[in-house]
Amino acid sequence: SERFAYWQIPNSMGNPPQTIELLLEKDKKEKYRKINPRRTKLVLKTESEALGEISAEVEVEDDNLDFKFNTNSEEIRKLINANVDELRKKMETFDYKTKTVRVVKRNLDVKRFLIPTLDFNNLTRVQTEV
């Protein structure tokens, strides 16, 4: 079954226009794998002329948030780090506590969240002889 709900959102404000990719993790405990807004992972990826390629991973657990920003731009990493306190204050206005904010030097490949993988513990091997 699918782990994430996935959307591509057109962003015509950039030059050239780009796509915003949005993923929301579905609840593993739910029978029909619905999205639980109190326990989920949100992945947002976009690219612009000013920011380059940037993505944010937000893990939500009740009222606690963990942020991870992915970018190869040293300038953007410094900008994010300089605004961590502002991010924490904004999240507090929505009654969320920001536990961690990390900035990682890399580009995120959203396909790793979307491509299904095999659970080798659930595989069954059947041998037959003729």
Side-chain angles (χ1 to χ4, degrees), residues 11-104:
N11 180 9
S12 59
M13 294 172 58
N15 187 16
Q18 297 290 330
T19 300
I20 298 170
E21 294 179 277
L22 175 64
L23 294 91
L24 283 171
E25 187 172 35
K26 296 178 180 179
D27 193 341
K28 299 170 192 156
K29 297 175 184 172
E30 287 279 331
K31 181 178 180 182
Y32 297 106
R33 303 282 303 230
K34 296 180 182 178
I35 296 170
N36 179 353
R38 302 298 294 166
R39 281 189 198 281
T40 190
K41 180 176 188 165
L42 175 136
V43 180
L44 180 72
K45 181 180 177 183
T46 190
E47 187 173 353
S48 73
E49 188 176 335
L51 297 174
E53 185 177 303
I54 187 168
S55 61
E57 298 174 68
V58 184
E59 299 220 18
V60 180
E61 189 170 324
D62 296 322
D63 62 347
N64 296 305
L65 302 175
D66 289 311
F67 287 89
K68 182 164 76 170
F69 294 94
N70 303 286
T71 179
N72 275 330
S73 169
E74 184 65 32
E75 183 180 337
I76 300 303
R77 289 196 344 252
K78 287 179 183 177
L79 179 67
I80 294 168
N81 283 323
N83 288 284
V84 168
D85 289 336
E86 184 67 25
L87 175 64
R88 288 182 196 276
K89 288 176 190 172
K90 290 287 186 188
M91 293 298 103
E92 285 175 6
T93 64
F94 297 106
D95 296 324
Y96 284 102
K97 297 176 192 111
T98 303
K99 291 182 357 184
T100 60
V101 178
R102 296 184 297 155
V103 183
V104 180

